[in-house]
Amino acid sequence: MTRPNQMTLLKSARLSVAPMMDWTDRHCRKFHRVLSDHALLYTEMVTAPALVRGGARHLLRFDPSEHPVALQLGGSDPKELAEAAAMGADEGYAEINLNCGCPSDRVQSGSFGAVLMERPDIVAECCAAMIDAQDVEVTVKCRIGVDDQDPAEVLPDFLARVSAAGVGRFTIHARKAWLQGLSPKENRDIPPLDYELVVRMKEMFPHLHLSINGGVASLDEAEALLERGLDGVMVGRAAYHDPAAILSQADQRIWAKRGPRPMDDVIEAMAGHIEAHLAGGGKLHQVTRHMLGLFSGQPGARAWRRYLSEHAPKNGADAQVLRDAYDLIKQAAETALNGENKALEDISKDT
């Protein structure tokens, strides 16, 4: 399998889609890739113990058409992470990313995720082991700090220690994680964002490739952050819930490439993916659940979501369900256009 070269990967990292548990599986990534040729995509976090001790190598499965795509690993044992990174490299991933930002209780109990912000030397040791074990670039996704830490002191120390181990690229979620007192969901919204601190880190560490994550809801915001000197922007929930607004426009606005792919082509590309998935024993809703936000804010969006939600889980459901749901969108668009034309006619008559 041919993975993207380093220059292609760095260009793609200007805009990436965050690793999101239960969301960014291979079907989601395929959908996002149909919308954007260039955005860097990430897997859900896969734990090193699951791969090394649990034999769950099937979790690494992906299609080469998803490239550029990165594998995110969770763990805190250098030897296990090195073995898991080698597995990821063998599977053909373009990047191996270490999770130092997830605040869930389950992750904390395994001594990895955001709790590793308190243990930069362990992170450095883990990254060094991962780098030595294989040839794919190792990167880190982190927070600005946790609990009562002072981010202005903790973050530069973390970056210095971990980069000394050979890591040259970091994605920084510009919020603290409160490991005590806040749920994972609350940790995505309640701790205040500190974009200024991340911008200062780029000024302090100009040799590092730094991407920012957290609260970015539009391409306008992403472009503004890139203009401030950051190397990349990672978008999470906005890319998932309104993928057309983020990913369909990204190739043109971020990389000066093609404009949005015609929606007819998007639907047919995903229909082809669905047919292949069903032929392998899969279920329609495993794909379409990631597509519910495709027409967010457009006429017919509610009918689209309702039709897919009701019909995709049924036995025997196939790609025709997707096409039928899309017909509802086209009908709604035509109705809206006729309404606009009628209003214009009425205005011209009045004048």
Side-chain angles (χ1 to χ4, degrees), residues 13-15 221-233 254:
R14 284 180 60 77
L15 186 77
E221 294 175 33
E223 288 176 319
L225 289 164
L226 291 171
E227 288 170 2
R228 299 196 63 187
L230 292 165
D231 300 296
V233 177
I254 303 297

Side-chain angles (χ1 to χ4, degrees), residues 198-206 208-210 229-231:
V198 182
V199 171
R200 289 203 302 275
M201 292 304 99
K202 181 59 187 177
E203 294 168 354
M204 289 179 64
F205 300 93
L208 296 180
H209 185 290
L210 300 184
L230 292 165
D231 300 296

Side-chain angles (χ1 to χ4, degrees), residues 14-21 23-24 28 31-32 35 39-43 141 171-175 188-189 193 195 211-219 221-222 225 232-247 290 293:
R14 284 180 60 77
L15 186 77
S16 59
V17 179
M20 293 177 279
M21 293 299 293
W23 287 2
T24 51
C28 176
F31 172 46
H32 287 174
L35 295 174
L40 176 58
L41 306 180
Y42 283 79
T43 68
K141 186 173 187 290
T171 298
I172 304 170
H173 186 151
R175 285 188 175 94
R188 292 194 294 266
D189 295 303
L193 288 161
Y195 289 166
S211 293
I212 193 168
N213 171 231
V216 180
S218 69
L219 282 181
E221 294 175 33
L225 289 164
V233 177
M234 177 179 279
V235 184
R237 286 166 290 167
Y240 189 88
H241 291 306
D242 196 357
I246 302 293
L247 295 173
H290 300 300

Side-chain angles (χ1 to χ4, degrees), residues 251-317:
D251 288 2
Q252 185 174 44
R253 293 180 57 177
I254 303 297
W255 294 281
K257 301 294 185 179
R258 66 164 177 83
R261 180 163 279 131
M263 200 52 66
D264 288 358
D265 293 352
V266 171
I267 296 300
E268 284 308 308
M270 290 310 297
H273 175 73
I274 286 167
E275 288 162 358
H277 179 56
L278 297 180
K283 303 295 184 183
L284 176 63
H285 69 88
Q286 293 171 324
V287 180
T288 56
R289 72 185 184 96
H290 300 300
M291 301 179 66
L292 297 179
L294 179 57
F295 297 101
S296 180
Q298 298 182 36
R302 182 176 298 178
W304 159 268
R305 293 192 300 270
R306 182 169 56 243
Y307 193 90
L308 288 180
S309 298
E310 291 177 357
H311 293 275
K314 293 180 178 179
N315 289 333

Side-chain angles (χ1 to χ4, degrees), residues 153-169:
E153 295 180 2
V154 168
L155 185 58
D157 180 66
F158 182 90
L159 294 176
R161 290 172 187 260
V162 178
S163 64
V167 176
R169 187 149 58 91

Side-chain angles (χ1 to χ4, degrees), residues 67-132:
H67 267 314
V69 60
L71 168 66
Q72 186 181 70
L73 293 175
S76 59
D77 179 86
K79 183 179 178 183
E80 280 191 339
L81 280 166
E83 290 185 47
M87 290 182 192
D90 288 344
E91 292 292 332
Y93 283 97
E95 171 193 329
I96 311 294
N97 179 265
L98 179 62
N99 183 323
C100 296
C102 181
S104 79
D105 293 339
R106 181 173 63 84
V107 168
Q108 288 181 57
S109 67
S111 297
F112 53 90
V115 71
L116 288 175
M117 295 300 299
E118 300 176 328
R119 304 164 191 173
D121 290 336
I122 291 178
V123 176
E125 184 180 354
C126 289
C127 290
M130 295 163 71
I131 291 168
D132 288 343

